[in-house]
Structure formats: C-alpha cells, structure tokens
Amino acid sequence: MIEDELLKWKFKRGSKDALRRIYEKYLDYLLTLTMALLNDASSAEDVVHDVFVTFAKSAEEFKLSGSLKSYLATAVCNRARDQIRANKRQLAKLDESDPVSTSSDGPEQLIIYSEESQRLNDAVVQLPQPQREVVVLHLKGEMKFREIAKLQGESINTILGRYRYALNKLRSILDGEVER
Amino acid sequence: MRPMDNMEETIKKKLNFTASAKMRDRILDDVLKAQKNSKKTKTALVLPNIRRIIMKSSITKFAAAAAIIMAVLITFYFVGNPLGATVTFADVIEPILNARTVVLDLVVGSEETGLVVHDIVVGSKIRRTLPNMGPAIIDLDSARMLRLDPLDKSAVYIDIQGPFQRWTRSYLGLVRDIVDDMENHPEWPVQELGQRWIDGQRVVGFLLSVPNIKLTIWADAETAAPIRIEMLMGQSQTIIKNIEFDVPVDESLVSMDIPDGYTLHEKELDYTDFDEQDFIVVLQYWAEHVLGGNFPDNVSAEDILKVAPALRQKVDQLNISDEEKMQIGMAMGRGFMFFRHLDPNGIEWHYVGKGVEFGDANTAVFLYRPKGSDTYRVIYGDLSVKDSAPEDLPK
C-alpha cells in the first residue's frame, strides 16, 4: 500500500520504472479478475491490455486519492462488461454454462493456470453476470461490498444478497448437486 | 469438512491465472509505448479534494499513538541521564530516585513554541496526555501501552518492546541503573552553574555533559527539589517543568484495564520494526499533502509532534479503504520512530529540505549516517535515496 502511494506519485510524474512496477505488480491480479469474469484467454488479454494502455496514458488525470488496486479492478470490470456486450456470442456461451476455452486457439498457451483454477473458474462463469462480479471483485479483487455496490449502482443489501446466492450456487455446482 | 465448505477461502487461494512470458512482454511493450507517446506529465502537484470530516477514524488513533510513543521515548531519556556523582548533585536527584509518584509537564521543543505533554507517574506506570490526543497509559514493566480515545470510546494496546527494550525497564529502576552508570563514568563532568531566579524562585543549576547529551537541572536552592530540567540530545530539545513529587494520585488513572464504556480494538499495534522507508512516508505526506508540495522548513521532534494531527487528517481524507489508511498510519508511526531513534543512538543526521520542492530529484532533503557506516544515506526531493561518501555529499 505504501509502495502504491509512491508508485502513483512517481507514475504521475512520468516514471517509466513506476509504470513497469505497477504493471508487474498487478498484471496477474487483473488477469485473474478478467478470466473469472470472461473465461476467455484472448478476451482477457485484450481487456488487460486496454486497461493498462489507457492507464499509461492517464497520468495527468489520474486521481492520487484513490486506491490503485481498486482503481485497476474497477477499470477491468468495466472493460469486461464492454467486452461481454460486444460479444453476444460469447455472452450466450457463458449464460448457457458452456465453459469457454482458457487458452488461445493457437498452439501456445497465453495464460498459465492449474486444473483446480480451471474447475473453479468454470463454476464461477456459470453465475449470472451481476453475481459473478460480486464474487470475483470481493474475493479476488478484495473490494469491499460498498465499493461493489457503488460500481453496480445497487444498494449494499442487494450486493450482499447476490453474494449469498452466488456462493450457494457455487457450492451446488462444485458439489455436483446443481439442478439443471 | 468438505472441500467446498469454505468456498470463500477456496476461491481466494485457488483461483489464479498467470500471464505467460510472451503475453507479459507483449502487453508491457504496448503499455510503455503508450506512456511515451502520451502527453508529458505535468510537474505540478495534484492534491486530493479536501473534505471536512470528523476525526474519528482508525488512522487518528494510530497516528496519535505513534506521537505518544515518541513522547514516551523523550521522557525515558530524561529519566535516564540527569544523575550525577557528586554529593550535591545527588541531593538534587534524590526525589527522582525515591519518589513513588511524580506529576510533571514535558515540553517537546522550545519553551515558547513546544508541545506540552502532561505526565502522571506512579511507580512503573505513566499516564501521558498530549494535547487533543487523549491519554495513554504506559506500563514500563510489561513494555505495553494502552491508548484511549475518548472521542469514540475506543482502546488499543501497543507493544513498545523490540528496539525500545532497553528503555522499557521500571521508571525508577531505570534511574537507579543510570546512577550506577554515572558512578562508573567519572569522566562525565557535572558543572555547577551557580544560582539564578526562575519564576520567582531561587534555584541552583547543574550541567551534565555525557556523550551526545547536555542536561541542565535547576533545583530549589533551599530544598534541592528539581523544578526544571532542560535536555539537548543531538538536535532535540526537551524541558521538564511543573514537577511535583509524591503527590496523592488516583491509581485508577494508570490502570492498564479497559475503562467501562470503552471498546478494545482487536489489533495490537507494533511500531518497533521501523526503517528508512517509513520515514520517507512521513516526508512524503508532510510535503505533498500538508504543505502542498514543499518540504517543511525544519524537522524536529517538536515539528513532528505538531504536524502529526495534520498528517492523520490528510490521510483520513484520502479516498482509500480504512485498511489502507491504517497501513499508512502505521508506516507513519514507524517513520516517527525511525526519526526518534537517530539522536539517542548518536546517529548524525541533517535536515536540509527547507525551500525544496517535492519531486526535486536533484536536491537533498535529509541525510544521515547509519551507525558504523562510512557513507551517508541521502534522501532527495523525489524521495529517492542514494548512498554518498562524505566528500560527495550534496552541497
């Protein structure tokens, strides 16, 4: 956190090293969020790429008072929503609970993950998008419920409800007890 | 327990994706290009929007606690050194040795501008009150502090062990130990300063010079009771005055139990593991947020104690989580401790930040020579730190 404050300050003044450090520090964090929201390696790369590129251009406007981590997580979430809206076919896939490939179509693997991560992610992407966001942003993004409520434009009670429903559904899916 | 019983922990720990090296490099390349091609960043500082808030959050307590710890150390040094080997001087310090209760005011800094701390001492316990910060009860035997915040009726215990261990002995026991030390150091001179008048009282003075410390004790010329003690340690000045020995004191004032109506904060705080980076955080917030982009004219214990409320207010106003505020507050607390440990340890330091703009990478603001080091650590206006040989120090 202290490091982040220094990084933000240096970044605002055009430090290449600071930007590189921010990138290295948060790339996998943002990639995990994006994969949990989209479950598609190519789309995830696009989202993370766009978020960082936009961030790199934003030094002058970037507000010092915000948490860097939450700022980036929110940016990823917004971009992921755009991606979902832009790709109806992928959205349909997600809503049909049909896991999407986590690797690119090419021979090389873009993203490295364990089998357990894949299994968990396959379950997470079966959640309706609003619930998925709450679970992912809270558990992996470490965002507070009130921050997520603000992001989704809902009351905190709604967010807490979504969170409870999502966890119950995840338990059902992962225990193999989901009713189809 | 079934594997999925703890769903939250499972997702937190097990759901992870890592970018391949190729993806990592590919994105980074574009990101750095984007930065290079964007407009040059402006050099003016952008401060967060200031909103009026009520100072009740966690950060307040933590920063205040750190300030109180600083005052603790100040007093430890006071009791640690005013002791001479001559009979006359021994008369003067006799009440300090034998009194069970002491009430005093401690001025951190100069008499005219310093911050006044009020102490009630009962045996090895001290109730210490700083202006606008509420009290802290310090138990020197167990090296713990209980900080009370009357504003929101909260309490927190603070560990003052670690590097402070040598100062965490019994208050009066420490004094007696130092007497022994003095007797073993006949080379430490005690100079008689003769008589003078202070506040209508005829007093006699003694100047004690020990390595890194000059201590002046003024005592009543008739009763030999100390009435004023002035200490210059390194660049830090403190004055003890309004001293009363063996006055009746309500011992509940120094109880380490949580008072009725107070809620104990779950986290026990520890400021003992400090380093240079923590002090840099203090400088950063002081210059950037309190002074709008300029480093302070001076940095001393007095200055830090005075700026502590403003620092915590600025951190409270940041639009970040309470946890993040707490982390900054803790770092600042450790930064105070870093600064405070310099003089007692005879570490040479110089503050040269007057007139320096925050972000100036070419101008030094603070330098010190770590114990045993041949080189100096130099902190610049952009908060970068470099090692510098004495002959290469910035002018």
Side-chain angles (χ1 to χ4, degrees):
Chain A
M1 177 55 213
I2 304 308
E3 184 195 22
D4 280 6
E5 289 299 308
L6 291 172
L7 286 173
K8 283 192 298 182
W9 175 73
K10 289 176 180 174
F11 166 67
K12 278 187 68 68
R13 283 148 190 81
S15 166
K16 185 177 171 182
D17 289 341
L19 178 59
R20 185 191 294 268
R21 172 66 187 138
I22 291 168
Y23 174 80
E24 288 169 352
K25 186 172 180 179
Y26 289 116
L27 172 62
D28 290 339
Y29 163 77
L30 295 179
L31 190 63
T32 297
L33 293 186
T34 317
M35 281 298 294
L37 293 170
L38 297 175
N39 203 25
D40 179 81
S42 295
S43 298
E45 180 181 2
D46 288 344
V47 165
V48 172
H49 173 277
D50 291 351
V51 164
F52 273 119
V53 166
T54 304
F55 176 72
K57 293 176 180 174
S58 72
E60 283 187 57
E61 296 79 26
F62 183 67
K63 302 293 183 191
L64 274 177
S65 57
S67 157
L68 180 58
K69 194 173 185 179
S70 294
Y71 175 89
L72 292 171
T74 302
V76 154
C77 184
N78 286 330
R79 290 267 176 186
R81 287 177 184 172
D82 293 343
Q83 187 78 23
I84 289 170
R85 277 195 289 269
N87 192 342
K88 297 285 176 72
R89 184 179 63 80
Q90 183 174 10
L91 179 61
K93 274 186 178 180
L94 293 173
D95 284 347
E96 289 164 10
S97 304
D98 181 15
V100 179
S101 167
T102 49
S103 62
S104 69
D105 294 335
E108 64 178 318
Q109 190 176 14
L110 284 175
I111 296 173
I112 301 158
Y113 52 90
S114 66
E115 283 185 15
E116 186 163 14
S117 276
Q118 181 62 75
R119 188 172 68 91
L120 286 169
N121 214 44
D122 287 345
V124 169
V125 295
Q126 293 181 55
L127 298 171
Q129 187 189 339
Q131 290 181 20
R132 193 187 323 150
E133 281 184 7
V134 175
V135 165
V136 170
L137 294 176
H138 181 64
L139 293 180
K140 292 304 297 182
E142 298 173 22
M143 288 175 68
K144 294 184 183 303
F145 287 120
R146 61 177 166 76
E147 292 176 307
I148 301 170
K150 189 177 174 185
L151 179 66
Q152 292 195 345
E154 300 284 1
S155 73
I156 195 156
N157 284 336
T158 301
I159 300 304
L160 290 170
R162 284 175 179 170
Y163 184 68
R164 280 196 301 274
Y165 283 123
L167 287 186
N168 286 337
K169 185 164 184 184
L170 282 174
R171 280 193 191 91
S172 298
I173 295 169
L174 290 163
D175 284 348
E177 296 168 3
V178 65
E179 293 177 16
R180 294 176 186 274
Chain B
M1 189 175 74
R2 292 180 305 172
M4 286 307 132
D5 278 350
N6 196 343
M7 177 61 59
E8 288 149 305
E9 284 304 306
T10 303
I11 291 177
K12 278 182 185 174
K13 290 178 181 169
K14 305 289 186 183
L15 180 60
N16 295 300
F17 291 90
T18 304
S20 65
K22 188 152 188 171
M23 178 193 279
R24 199 171 288 272
D25 293 344
R26 192 161 57 203
I27 299 177
L28 179 61
D29 191 45
D30 286 353
V31 168
L32 295 178
K33 279 180 190 165
Q35 183 191 37
K36 191 176 178 183
N37 294 334
S38 67
K39 290 179 184 176
K40 283 191 176 178
T41 53
K42 57 185 175 183
T43 54
L45 293 163
V46 179
L47 294 174
N49 292 328
I50 304 301
R51 58 189 167 84
R52 191 172 180 80
I53 59 168
I54 299 172
M55 298 298 300
K56 286 184 69 175
S57 73
S58 298
I59 187 71
T60 305
K61 290 192 281 290
F62 300 143
I68 287 176
I69 292 178
M70 284 193 68
V72 171
L73 299 183
I74 289 162
T75 297
F76 283 175
Y77 288 110
F78 147 59
V79 298
N81 292 287
L83 311 170
T86 68
V87 171
T88 307
F89 195 70
D91 287 341
V92 169
I93 56 94
E94 188 275 339
I96 300 173
L97 285 172
N98 295 314
R100 183 169 181 277
T101 65
V102 186
V103 177
L104 56 85
D105 287 332
L106 173 80
V107 184
V108 182
S110 68
E111 176 114 47
E112 296 74 26
T113 62
L115 194 85
V116 180
V117 178
H118 183 66
D119 267 4
I120 299 171
V121 183
V122 180
S124 62
K125 291 180 179 171
I126 306 171
R127 182 184 182 90
R128 172 150 299 159
T129 308
L130 275 71
N132 305 318
M133 290 190 192
I137 295 91
I138 303 147
D139 184 343
L140 300 177
D141 282 342
S142 64
R144 289 182 93 206
M145 177 188 293
L146 172 62
R147 163 99 177 98
L148 302 174
D149 189 339
L151 204 60
D152 62 359
K153 296 284 183 189
S154 65
V156 61
Y157 284 110
I158 301 164
D159 183 353
I160 54 173
Q161 296 200 41
F164 309 126
Q165 188 65 50
R166 62 176 283 235
W167 305 308
T168 56
R169 290 171 289 176
S170 155
Y171 183 83
L172 295 177
L174 176 64
V175 174
R176 291 174 187 123
D177 289 347
I178 298 298
V179 170
D180 290 338
D181 283 347
M182 289 296 296
E183 289 174 349
N184 294 331
H185 290 86
E187 75 277 16
W188 291 353
V190 178
Q191 180 187 349
E192 293 186 14
L193 299 177
Q195 294 188 10
R196 59 184 277 193
W197 291 84
I198 295 179
D199 296 333
Q201 199 169 357
R202 190 163 60 91
V203 297
V204 59
F206 299 89
L207 173 62
L208 172 63
S209 298
V210 300
N212 197 39
I213 296 174
K214 284 192 184 305
L215 189 87
T216 306
I217 300 183
W218 297 100
D220 186 293
E222 300 295 326
T223 65
I227 65 159
R228 179 184 174 90
I229 299 164
E230 301 160 358
M231 184 175 69
L232 183 64
M233 180 175 55
Q235 301 174 52
S236 302
Q237 182 183 8
T238 53
I239 300 167
I240 313 290
K241 62 181 188 178
N242 301 328
I243 312 168
E244 297 179 78
F245 294 101
D246 280 326
V247 290
V249 171
D250 177 359
E251 302 219 355
S252 68
L253 289 174
V254 291
S255 169
M256 290 294 283
D257 297 331
I258 308 296
D260 290 342
Y262 276 76
T263 305
L264 178 64
H265 194 279
E266 69 221 24
K267 210 173 234 180
E268 184 148 328
L269 305 180
D270 182 359
Y271 293 100
T272 57
D273 187 18
F274 52 77
D275 62 26
E276 171 189 279
Q277 280 301 317
D278 298 318
F279 182 57
I280 287 175
V281 173
V282 174
L283 290 176
Q284 180 202 349
Y285 279 84
W286 196 343
E288 185 178 19
H289 294 274
V290 177
L291 297 177
N294 290 296
F295 284 94
D297 288 350
N298 190 44
V299 171
S300 66
E302 174 186 346
D303 296 315
I304 287 182
L305 285 172
K306 283 182 174 175
V307 82
L311 284 171
R312 66 177 190 252
Q313 184 180 31
K314 294 299 181 188
V315 175
D316 256 342
Q317 289 167 344
L318 296 178
N319 183 23
I320 56 179
S321 70
D322 289 346
E323 174 64 23
E324 290 167 328
K325 288 177 184 175
M326 192 190 78
Q327 292 299 326
I328 295 174
M330 292 292 290
M332 284 186 181
R334 293 191 300 269
F336 293 167
M337 297 303 110
F338 172 85
F339 178 75
R340 196 71 194 103
H341 99 288
L342 297 174
D343 276 333
N345 286 286
I347 295 172
E348 179 191 352
W349 62 272
H350 305 275
Y351 178 74
V352 290
K354 183 176 181 179
V356 178
E357 283 192 11
F358 187 46
D360 183 345
N362 299 314
T363 308
V365 295
F366 190 88
L367 54 105
Y368 70 101
R369 181 151 67 175
K371 205 138 193 167
S373 172
D374 293 331
T375 59
Y376 287 80
R377 298 283 290 164
V378 183
I379 301 172
Y380 288 84
D382 65 345
L383 303 182
S384 62
V385 185
K386 294 172 186 165
D387 290 309
S388 181
E391 61 272 21
D392 298 328
L393 284 175
K395 303 301 178 197

